[in-house]
Amino acid sequence: LISVLISQSASAIDNALLQQRRPRRLDKIQLLSKFSQEVIQQLPAAKEATQYRLILKYMAAILGAEGTSLLLVDRSGQLEKKACWGHIEENFDVGRKFEIHNRKGGGLTGWIAYHKQVFSAHGKELRSHPAATAGKNVHLKSGICCSLLSMPLLTRSGDTDQLLGIL
């Protein structure tokens, strides 16, 4: 009898978890649909900065992120902040440059770009990363960066990946 109850309880929990996930998945599909429609309507006529912000707006919503940003490699080979969503505008410093590096304490932005790989960290792992710099995150409305997901934007050139920027 106990094994039957345990089995049925486990099945009920699994079903409840599946039911909880379904609405979130439907919400994300609806959000992607809305994003596609808005992009098709607005992107072609919008200015570059507006295009970037529209994309970042939906990225934040889809990922459930407080903020998103776009940095592109400029002609000098540095990263340049181009746009943000969900940040304190006056503290974001659009146009700020970052060196692409592999140095301890040199900052995560340049380190992530150097390695050209998806970066995901949170909590102590994020704060204690060798490339991390100490300090308050004045660009986020909460003032705290608890987690970070960064993705390189790459293009293939022959046998190598060229970095275009990072999200």
Side-chain angles (χ1 to χ4, degrees), residues 90-152:
E90 60 270 13
N91 294 345
F92 186 73
D93 296 333
V94 170
R96 181 176 171 199
K97 308 274 182 152
F98 293 86
E99 177 189 2
I100 297 173
H101 68 83
N102 191 26
R103 284 190 326 275
K104 181 178 179 178
L108 279 170
T109 302
W111 187 90
I112 292 166
Y114 177 87
H115 289 279
K116 299 179 188 174
Q117 295 178 356
V118 171
F119 178 85
S120 178
H122 67 279
K124 186 177 180 183
E125 177 188 11
L126 177 62
R127 290 187 304 276
S128 64
H129 189 280
T133 55
K136 187 176 179 187
N137 293 288
V138 296
H139 60 282
L140 293 174
K141 291 177 182 173
S142 68
I144 302 167
C145 182
C146 298
S147 62
L148 178 65
L149 171 63
S150 185
M151 298 163 277

Side-chain angles (χ1 to χ4, degrees), residues 48-49 52 69-76 78-84 89-99:
E48 187 176 79
Y52 294 154
S69 58
L70 172 67
L71 295 93
L72 297 177
V73 177
D74 68 9
R75 290 181 186 162
S76 71
Q78 293 186 316
L79 285 174
E80 180 181 352
K81 284 185 177 181
K82 289 293 191 175
C84 68
E89 293 287 332
E90 60 270 13
N91 294 345
F92 186 73
D93 296 333
V94 170
R96 181 176 171 199
K97 308 274 182 152
F98 293 86
E99 177 189 2

Side-chain angles (χ1 to χ4, degrees), residues 29-98:
I29 291 169
Q30 289 171 335
L31 189 60
L32 285 169
S33 173
K34 184 177 177 185
F35 168 68
S36 297
Q37 290 170 6
E38 193 168 339
V39 166
I40 288 168
Q41 292 171 357
Q42 293 186 21
L43 221 50
K47 293 181 181 178
E48 187 176 79
T50 304
Q51 292 174 347
Y52 294 154
R53 288 183 53 79
L54 179 62
I55 292 166
L56 293 173
K57 169 187 164 184
Y58 279 98
M59 281 185 56
I62 290 165
L63 296 172
E66 178 181 5
T68 54
S69 58
L70 172 67
L71 295 93
L72 297 177
V73 177
D74 68 9
R75 290 181 186 162
S76 71
Q78 293 186 316
L79 285 174
E80 180 181 352
K81 284 185 177 181
K82 289 293 191 175
C84 68
W85 179 263
H87 294 77
I88 300 170
E89 293 287 332
E90 60 270 13
N91 294 345
F92 186 73
D93 296 333
V94 170
R96 181 176 171 199
K97 308 274 182 152
F98 293 86

